[in-house]
Amino acid sequence: MGKITLARVDDRLIHGQVMTSWLQYTGARHILIIDDETANDEFTKTIISMAVPNGIQLDVFTIAEATSFLSENNFNDLILLVKSPLTFLQLIERGIPLKEIVVGGMGASAERKSFYKNISASENEKIVLKKLIDNGVEVRIQVIPDQKSVSVKNLL
């Protein structure tokens, strides 16, 4: 397995200035989106690929495909991008070690209530976040690199 530079939860996936600032901050040249629905939707993958800056490699995988890729390949400076913290828990349960997860975008919805500032979470997502922490993962909220991060452990 290689070096994961950033493991980020953002239900918008790749979008404008926020992702560009994380790419500049981390120096990463490869983004791996892990989301079963997105990986199986050719139209959405095409739209997402248009938002990726030139010179950045993009892969969009299902959880199963990502597990194989992360287990079997040596890579450097990889950004993992998921819509839900549950995806990271599933990767850990499949043997993929993660040390730190950054929550950057979890918007409001019918199931979600305000969790911290503009970050929302459902009761199930809070349980998942706690399980991640219980698995030794540091989970923090940080929308952009210049912003101070906040530990999720202190919010649960």
Side-chain angles (χ1 to χ4, degrees):
M1 194 165 132
K3 180 183 173 207
I4 296 170
T5 305
L6 175 68
R8 179 176 167 85
V9 178
D10 192 329
D11 54 17
R12 299 164 294 179
L13 296 174
I14 295 176
H15 57 96
Q17 294 177 344
V18 172
M19 200 66 230
T20 300
S21 66
W22 280 109
L23 284 166
Q24 290 173 352
Y25 179 78
T26 63
R29 310 301 301 159
H30 188 179
I31 299 170
L32 175 56
I33 292 175
I34 307 167
D35 183 68
D36 288 356
E37 184 180 338
T38 304
N40 290 309
D41 183 337
E42 292 303 319
F43 178 74
T44 301
K45 287 195 301 191
T46 300
I47 298 299
I48 288 171
S49 68
M50 288 188 230
V52 177
N54 288 335
I56 304 298
Q57 181 179 344
L58 172 70
D59 287 302
V60 183
F61 290 156
T62 64
I63 292 170
E65 292 167 336
T67 301
S68 295
F69 176 84
L70 294 168
S71 300
E72 299 167 5
N73 289 286
N74 197 6
F75 47 82
N76 288 312
D77 301 325
L78 178 67
I79 291 177
L80 302 183
L81 192 56
V82 302
K83 288 182 178 180
S84 164
L86 179 60
T87 303
F88 284 137
L89 182 60
Q90 291 170 324
L91 286 175
I92 288 170
E93 289 170 345
R94 291 169 175 245
I96 304 299
L98 296 172
K99 295 177 184 170
E100 178 181 71
I101 293 170
V102 174
V103 176
M106 291 173 56
S109 71
E111 311 85 48
R112 289 179 172 168
K113 296 195 185 328
S114 181
F115 182 58
Y116 179 80
K117 295 188 178 182
N118 61 341
I119 304 294
S120 298
S122 68
E123 289 306 313
N124 187 51
E125 287 169 326
K126 289 178 187 177
I127 291 167
V128 168
L129 291 168
K130 179 155 181 10
K131 285 181 181 177
L132 287 164
I133 292 165
D134 290 346
N135 274 287
V137 179
E138 180 188 337
V139 182
R140 59 189 173 88
I141 295 172
Q142 188 175 12
V143 177
I144 55 174
D146 324 9
Q147 182 184 60
K148 184 180 177 215
S149 68
V150 174
S151 174
V152 169
K153 185 177 187 176
N154 300 330
L155 301 173
L156 292 172

